[in-house]
Amino acid sequence: MAQADYQIRWLKAEVEQLRRKNMTLTRSLHSAQARARAAEARLSLHERSGLPTRPELERHLTSLLQGNASGTMGLALLRLDEHFAILQRALRPSMTEWVLYEMGNRIRGSVGAGAAVYHLRDEEFALVFETVDSEGALEILLSGVIQQVRAPVTFPGYQLAVGCNVGVALCRREKCDKTNLLRKADLALNDARQSPAAIRFFASEMRSAAVERVQLQADILSSFQHHAENGHGHQFSMRYQPIIRVDPDPMSGRVLSVGVEALVRWRQADGSVVGPDRFIPVAEETGLILPIGNWVLYRVARDIEAWREDGVHLESVNVNLSARQLLDPQLVDTLGIIADRFPETRNRIVLELTETSIMERPEEAVERMREIVQAGYEIAIDDFGTGYSSLNYLRSFPTTCFKIDRSFVSNMTQRQQDRAIIRTICSLASDLGYRVIAEGVETEAELMMLQAEGCDSFQGYLFGRPMPADEVPGMIADLDNRAWREAITLN
Ligand code: C2E
Ligand code: CA
Ligand code: CA
């Protein structure tokens, strides 16, 4: 009995031990499984936003397109705009991480259960809509998302705003191809980034536009080579548009001085003229803007000399510089060489820079701007009011002039807000002792209103369209006979 008792106890103990072992094993198995799941989840979740990443997006699309379901589905790519890149350079990494986290949350929050949201790269998100009832409804939903993204992000002492663009591709699930869908959404996104509309739906023309862009790049290159080899191939040429400064005394109506803005033109071999709005961005991408920009400076300097020989005195000649030119380490040397070779240009050429191009790399840009001023050139801020620059940065720009963007001027007679913006820019400029030039003045009504707001320099079709260098002396001689003179005196 004692023997049997002992055996039972021994067996029980054995069973208990096994049970314990088993429990530990099960526990460690469970925890290993949990760790593996967490690691896998970490791999497919974006570390900043906690949203699933590209491989997950691809998997989702594959599974959607493999099923038997029919109907229309949609893919939207959302990219934060250049303000985010500016923040990335200007803020501490922890702050940018917070901005991304916040953006992810807002996007997810504003689509709710309507879409799956993915975080592809720092500034790019994707939204998958499994069923799309209509393009219009989707557009309304996405407008809501954009509004959420645009709302300011607040830190103690800061308020930041980031914009975004969205490209959308729709497809019938039964005949859709994943790669094709991604490519279409990407083309639509590119289109949105270049157009004033924040959302674009894919259209087949976009594919041809992309092909055209590559063709344009090749054409600019061959044109410039031809131009450089033949010197006077007339592929690139300059036009000059008057900038008129009038006496701020409303009774006088006197023209105090005349300047011009130099605007480049490109005539292709077939005779068609391509506007700078189209070819400058492409020339920027390829780097060709540097030799083209140097040619522009040289050509302008020669024209200034020629005008002087004709006895024509221009107060200033404004030349546009793009971001890439501003950041070119050779720029200041080139400006020095031009000023030495054409002494007339010293203190006459004003370089126009946009806020956006300065804010691409603000510290470097401000440093370069100081060197430019030391080399004897002035700086004007172009398209003022459309870019993103804090007043703090503005204070550090060694500039002397703001150019009010055309969009404010053309709306000011109908929109109170645009008029208020113009008033603010004029009063800021006056406090800082800067000059203000209003761009795109087309009517006498605009001219009178601008004068009333305290603006004294004007540029626009009302005063003259961009013209070849040899028409500039005639334009100046003819100023007295122009109809707009009456608007100035009447005011
Ligand atoms: P921007 O510097 O804002 O130049 C003013 C643009 O507005 C010019 O267009 C001009 O022709 C146009 N404009 C002037 N007055 C009026 C008006 O009353 N009404 C309307 N509707 N438009 C007016 P353009 O010549 O096509 O130049 C476009 C842009 O290309 C310029 O904008 C400038 O950013 C860039 N650009 C032009 N030339 C050069 C250059 O030599 N180098 C660089 N980097 N960029 C240039
Ligand atoms: Ca300009
Ligand atoms: Ca402008």
Side-chain angles (χ1 to χ4, degrees):
M1 183 66 199
Q3 173 76 8
D5 233 18
Y6 172 75
Q7 270 187 342
I8 287 169
R9 253 188 289 142
W10 180 83
L11 270 174
K12 269 189 180 164
E14 197 72 342
V15 167
E16 179 59 13
Q17 212 175 353
L18 272 175
R19 203 176 63 82
R20 282 217 193 108
K21 254 195 201 151
N22 192 19
M23 262 171 66
T24 344
L25 264 178
T26 319
R27 239 186 270 134
S28 61
L29 185 66
H30 279 162
S31 88
Q33 279 170 340
R35 274 205 307 277
R37 269 200 305 275
E40 195 184 277
R42 261 204 307 282
L43 276 181
S44 56
L45 289 184
H46 196 283
E47 54 181 348
R48 303 266 162 80
S49 59
L51 290 170
T53 54
R54 184 157 190 128
E56 287 294 299
L57 167 69
E58 302 235 0
R59 246 173 268 163
H60 187 179
L61 290 178
T62 309
S63 81
L64 275 181
L65 299 173
Q66 266 168 358
N68 296 327
S70 58
T72 303
M73 63 160 293
L75 169 69
L77 294 178
L78 180 151
R79 186 174 305 166
L80 303 177
D81 67 8
E82 77 277 9
H83 293 167
F84 175 70
I86 293 169
L87 293 184
Q88 248 181 337
R89 282 188 287 270
L91 297 180
R92 284 196 303 276
S94 58
M95 287 164 93
T96 358
E97 273 174 31
W98 163 253
V99 174
L100 283 177
Y101 175 76
E102 177 67 18
M103 292 304 159
N105 259 347
R106 289 181 185 186
I107 297 169
R108 197 167 34 184
S110 52
V111 289
V117 182
Y118 298 88
H119 192 170
L120 307 186
R121 299 186 259 150
D122 259 6
E123 70 284 6
E124 197 166 310
F125 296 82
L127 293 86
V128 176
F129 299 86
E130 295 192 8
T131 39
V132 174
D133 295 331
S134 75
E135 205 176 292
L138 183 57
E139 189 161 357
I140 292 171
L141 181 67
L142 287 168
S143 302
V145 176
I146 292 177
Q147 232 168 12
Q148 287 296 315
V149 169
R150 280 185 185 157
V153 184
T154 314
F155 292 104
Y158 288 87
Q159 245 206 359
L160 312 165
V162 174
C164 66
N165 294 104
V166 180
V168 192
L170 301 177
C171 71
R172 303 280 310 164
R173 266 161 78 168
E174 60 276 24
K175 6 180 180 149
C176 187
D177 164 71
K178 183 179 75 180
T179 318
N180 209 357
L181 182 68
L182 280 161
R183 200 171 296 143
K184 282 178 176 174
D186 203 49
L187 281 168
L189 175 62
N190 269 334
D191 199 78
R193 294 175 68 208
Q194 281 152 31
S195 85
I199 307 177
R200 302 289 275 180
F201 282 76
F202 173 80
S204 48
E205 309 86 77
M206 290 176 189
R207 201 172 272 140
S208 34
V211 173
E212 207 178 277
R213 214 170 157 75
V214 173
Q215 184 61 44
L216 199 59
Q217 284 180 356
D219 288 351
I220 298 175
L221 180 61
S222 78
S223 249
F224 195 77
Q225 274 167 345
H226 180 83
H227 190 86
E229 282 157 16
N230 301 285
H232 38 267
H234 300 301
Q235 309 247 351
F236 292 93
S237 63
M238 296 312 292
R239 293 290 179 274
Y240 297 93
Q241 187 179 29
I243 300 175
I244 311 284
R245 188 209 284 258
V246 301
D247 194 329
D249 174 2
M251 298 315 290
S252 126
R254 226 156 43 94
V255 171
L256 293 183
S257 61
V258 183
V260 287
E261 176 174 2
L263 297 157
V264 70
R265 296 290 177 265
W266 174 35
R267 186 180 289 277
Q268 287 182 297
D270 65 1
S272 57
V273 177
V274 185
D277 273 342
R278 262 189 75 209
F279 80 84
I280 296 280
V282 179
E284 278 241 313
E285 277 169 24
T286 51
L288 265 174
I289 189 65
L290 298 181
I292 294 176
N294 287 347
W295 176 82
V296 166
L297 281 165
Y298 172 78
R299 181 71 250 173
V300 166
R302 283 196 30 193
D303 286 337
I304 293 175
E305 291 271 319
W307 288 323
R308 186 188 52 101
E309 281 162 15
D310 275 359
V312 173
H313 174 85
L314 286 165
E315 186 201 24
S316 52
V317 179
N318 288 24
V319 177
N320 294 283
L321 275 197
S322 63
R324 185 118 180 208
Q325 289 174 276
L326 177 64
L327 297 171
D328 171 24
Q330 306 267 294
L331 174 71
V332 180
D333 283 349
T334 307
L335 292 175
I337 293 169
I338 287 182
D340 289 345
R341 174 135 178 236
F342 303 98
E344 261 310 288
T345 62
R346 218 178 264 281
N347 303 318
R348 184 123 319 149
I349 293 186
V350 178
L351 298 172
E352 293 192 5
L353 300 169
T354 62
E355 285 168 88
T356 318
S357 66
I358 297 170
M359 293 312 284
E360 259 192 33
R361 283 200 231 149
E363 268 116 35
E364 231 174 297
V366 169
E367 183 57 38
R368 187 61 44 77
M369 285 157 80
R370 295 223 171 89
E371 292 166 8
I372 291 174
V373 172
Q374 267 168 10
Y377 293 79
E378 271 186 60
I379 291 174
I381 308 295
D382 202 358
D383 304 344
F384 190 76
T386 58
Y388 164 96
S389 51
S390 68
L391 285 179
N392 201 24
Y393 264 119
L394 203 58
R395 228 177 24 177
S396 64
F397 295 170
T399 172
T400 45
C401 174
F402 294 150
K403 292 190 79 177
I404 302 177
D405 189 61
R406 190 168 76 221
S407 59
F408 300 119
V409 174
S410 50
N411 292 327
M412 76 178 300
T413 51
Q414 291 99 44
R415 277 175 40 121
Q416 206 48 44
Q417 295 99 309
D418 290 290
R419 189 168 179 175
I421 290 173
I422 290 179
R423 186 173 310 142
T424 313
I425 298 176
C426 290
S427 101
L428 178 67
S430 140
D431 289 348
L432 295 168
Y434 293 178
R435 179 179 177 193
V436 198
I437 302 172
E439 289 183 325
V441 184
E442 293 183 355
T443 66
E444 288 177 9
E446 286 162 358
L447 170 61
M448 287 160 80
M449 203 176 264
L450 284 160
Q451 265 200 309
E453 297 303 350
C455 180
D456 66 358
S457 298
F458 312 95
Q459 178 182 357
Y461 294 169
L462 179 64
F463 304 92
R465 297 209 171 220
M467 60 191 81
D470 57 7
E471 289 178 19
V472 169
M475 175 272 295
I476 294 176
D478 199 35
L479 280 181
D480 283 340
N481 307 322
R482 301 291 303 278
W484 51 262
R485 293 295 298 267
E486 276 184 31
I488 297 180
T489 358
L490 278 176
N491 211 354

